[in-house]
Amino acid sequence: MKITMIGTGYVGLVTGTCFAEFGHHVTCVDKLSDKIDRLLAGEIPIYEPGLEALVAKNSQEGRLSFTTDLGKAVAGAEAVFIAVGTPSSRRGDGYADLTYIYEASKEIASFLQGYTVIIDKSTVPVGTARQVARIIKEVNPEADFDVASNPEFLREGAAIADFMRPDRVVLGVETDRAETLLRAVYQPLYLQETPIVKTSIETAELTKYAANAFLATKISFINEMALLCDATGADVVALARGIGMDGRIGAKFLHPGPGYGGSCFPKDTMALMRIAQENGESLRVVEAAIEANGAQKAKMVKKIRDMLGGSEAGKTIAVLGLTFKPETDDMRDSPSITILPALLEKGAVIRAHDPQGMEEARQLLPDSIIYTSNSYEACKGADAVIIMTEWNQYRALDLERLGSVMKQKIFIDLRNVYQPDLVKEKGFRYDGVGRS
Ligand code: UGA
């Protein structure tokens, strides 16, 4: 099948490449000629494990191409996916900014040839697909097309595996023709018996937000439980096992930490709250999850301060991990963006390391941060070390070596990666999240 992917951001690039891997012929389009030039040269603009090899393979085999020429890419395509960005609006009110979606719809319209399905892949508020249809009809009343919504549930860092083995595929369609075509797009998942959930277009649009909001709520719930564990002397890791083994609750997304971040949960929970308000409803649980997430970061600053004896002024803090999660270079809404400036403001000196995120971190974090080449460098002369992101290389640190270069042996494990007793045995004072 001939597929066009509009937008080569994270979602567009991963999805387009994986469709090509399925055997479809995919053209990825982007307005940024720099980006397209880099992709044509085999350079991948984001860090996503396995993506570079998959792009190279499918480009070489002639199923994947990149262009800035939208007209050529759309002409003759059977499925056109819109995967452009939907950032939070610049007004700062939490609404999703749909400018790029509507621009893309206008541009696609005049190039459509034959029956085409235009599919929203981006995370968009309820009603967006209908607006896309309206725009296309306005520009090209003759066009033979349907719109559909097919939200993505990929996680950064595990996107290819998530794409190839999804828990489900959600198809929001309203004609048999569109359904048949989209089922054909996902036909390669048939052998794995991947469930296809067919819904109305509005339901599919809302399902994406509901999934992210539920996961964000689950994290905020366990983060609050961790705070209660800290206050009562209980252990949240055991507690999470104790509740997670109940099939109705589920063990995933019950890892407490410094708060959720990334390009999705913070933006999508806010957008969902706004969608509800616009429709005369209030999602109090989601609102509370957002608030708890903000509070969690502030609590982490306090935890660090307490471990340092009540003040971070003049103390050197080693921070391991800056990205919002491991296996990505993405710093968007990372907890480190809130926590580190708060420590610096009170006079701390910060020595940081991240395997992939330091380049982006330099643009977003205060200049005074000292970036180092590895964990042990970061810990030189430090009063405390903080595990901020659970990268694999921080999971088995040589604690004796670490301790030998530090000024004070204080270990603050904001991802609960270490067994407290093992760290304490090496002479450290240890604190995790909900493990006191
Ligand atoms: C999330 C969803 O998991 C995907 O299903 C969805 O497709 C994607 O958003 C999106 O909308 O595009 P992602 O943001 O890549 O994926 O990352 P997650 O693995 O979900 O982690 C999000 C944040 O939650 C991270 O900061 C992570 O550290 C935190 N987290 C996650 C926890 O603090 N505890 C957990 O147990 C799980």
Side-chain angles (χ1 to χ4, degrees):
M1 185 176 300
K2 196 175 167 213
I3 294 176
T4 298
M5 186 64 62
I6 314 278
T8 60
Y10 183 80
V11 173
L13 186 57
V14 171
T15 310
T17 306
C18 290
F19 279 152
E21 179 68 9
F22 277 176
H24 298 306
H25 282 86
V26 181
T27 308
C28 295
V29 192
D30 207 295
K31 281 191 165 162
L32 303 170
S33 52
D34 256 19
K35 206 171 181 189
I36 292 297
D37 288 344
R38 285 175 67 190
L39 285 163
L40 285 169
E43 243 182 85
I44 308 298
I46 50 168
Y47 175 75
E48 178 64 37
L51 186 60
E52 190 168 347
L54 218 57
V55 168
K57 175 178 170 234
N58 284 282
S59 304
Q60 268 157 27
E61 292 172 6
R63 288 188 303 273
L64 181 63
S65 55
F66 299 97
T67 182
T68 51
D69 189 338
L70 185 117
K72 256 198 202 148
V74 167
E78 295 155 271
V80 176
F81 283 84
I82 302 181
V84 296
T86 52
S88 284
S89 107
R90 286 208 193 105
R91 297 186 301 269
D93 51 13
Y95 286 96
D97 178 353
L98 300 176
T99 317
Y100 302 117
I101 301 262
Y102 295 151
E103 266 177 18
S105 314
K106 238 184 238 161
E107 287 166 20
I108 292 165
S110 49
F111 296 109
L112 297 174
Q113 285 175 0
Y115 177 67
T116 317
V117 183
I118 291 99
I119 307 114
D120 271 340
K121 197 72 179 147
S122 310
T123 303
V124 289
V126 186
T128 305
R130 292 216 189 275
Q131 289 297 330
V132 169
R134 190 186 52 74
I135 291 169
I136 293 176
K137 243 184 227 144
E138 225 170 69
V139 178
N140 182 358
E142 305 302 317
D144 181 18
F145 74 100
D146 278 313
V147 290
S149 165
N150 170 219
E152 59 83 25
F153 301 102
L154 311 173
R155 288 164 305 161
E156 290 189 20
I160 292 169
D162 282 355
F163 192 93
M164 295 298 176
R165 295 205 151 268
D167 290 337
R168 80 306 202 181
V169 170
V170 173
L171 298 182
V173 283
E174 56 182 15
T175 68
D176 291 345
R177 275 214 289 185
E179 182 182 346
T180 306
L181 187 132
L182 275 168
R183 282 188 185 272
V185 169
Y186 285 101
Q187 165 69 25
L189 296 176
Y190 170 75
L191 245 190
Q192 276 158 230
E193 298 182 354
T194 302
I196 302 238
V197 183
K198 184 199 151 190
T199 70
S200 71
I201 292 176
E202 282 75 12
T203 307
E205 289 173 334
L206 202 52
T207 300
K208 165 69 192 200
Y209 282 111
N212 274 359
F214 189 88
L215 292 169
T217 303
K218 206 171 171 189
I219 298 168
S220 276
F221 175 85
I222 201 67
N223 280 343
E224 288 199 323
M225 278 298 143
L227 297 177
L228 186 57
C229 285
D230 270 339
T232 56
D235 179 359
V236 77
V237 175
L239 179 144
R241 285 193 76 210
I243 63 170
M245 281 180 188
D246 185 327
R248 294 170 301 176
I249 296 174
K252 291 181 183 167
F253 277 68
L254 281 182
H255 304 289
Y260 59 76
S263 64
C264 305
F265 288 173
K267 163 176 82 75
D268 292 351
T269 44
M270 286 295 286
L272 182 60
M273 198 176 84
R274 296 287 176 233
I275 293 169
Q277 286 167 354
E278 261 185 353
N279 286 278
E281 294 295 337
S282 62
L283 298 179
R284 281 167 298 175
V285 173
V286 178
E287 284 173 23
I290 296 170
E291 202 184 316
N293 197 52
Q296 186 70 4
K297 298 176 210 170
K299 293 271 185 182
M300 296 302 106
V301 174
K302 182 171 181 308
K303 182 183 277 295
I304 296 162
R305 181 173 306 141
D306 288 349
M307 282 295 276
L308 285 165
S311 165
E312 56 270 57
K315 304 277 169 54
T316 300
I317 303 174
V319 177
L320 303 184
L322 298 169
T323 52
F324 81 100
K325 64 186 266 189
E327 298 302 331
T328 178
D329 57 357
D330 201 339
M331 286 288 299
R332 282 177 285 179
D333 264 316
S334 176
S336 64
I337 293 180
T338 311
I339 295 173
L340 270 51
L343 297 171
L344 287 170
E345 205 176 286
K346 294 280 188 236
V349 173
I350 293 184
R351 297 172 63 80
H353 176 259
D354 188 283
Q356 293 293 336
M358 291 200 285
E359 205 180 309
E360 212 181 315
R362 280 179 215 274
Q363 324 289 321
L364 296 168
L365 290 170
D367 292 340
S368 55
I369 291 175
I370 302 158
Y371 294 92
T372 61
S373 55
N374 60 53
S375 325
Y376 303 99
E377 256 319 292
C379 288
K380 262 192 192 158
D383 292 279
V385 55
I386 302 172
I387 307 276
M388 186 73 78
T389 317
E390 69 279 30
W391 284 91
N392 280 339
Q393 49 266 70
Y394 303 147
R395 286 175 187 267
L397 294 165
D398 177 344
L399 294 179
E400 262 162 34
R401 184 173 161 205
L402 209 70
S404 73
V405 299
M406 291 176 70
K407 193 159 135 206
Q408 286 195 71
K409 289 167 84 169
I410 299 176
F411 198 102
I412 306 166
D413 184 0
L414 296 188
R415 298 288 181 167
N416 292 344
V417 171
Y418 283 82
Q419 278 172 265
D421 287 347
L422 290 184
V423 184
K424 286 179 197 163
E425 263 170 32
K426 300 286 177 195
F428 283 86
R429 274 177 55 221
Y430 174 94
D431 198 11
V433 186
R435 313 202 75 185
S436 54

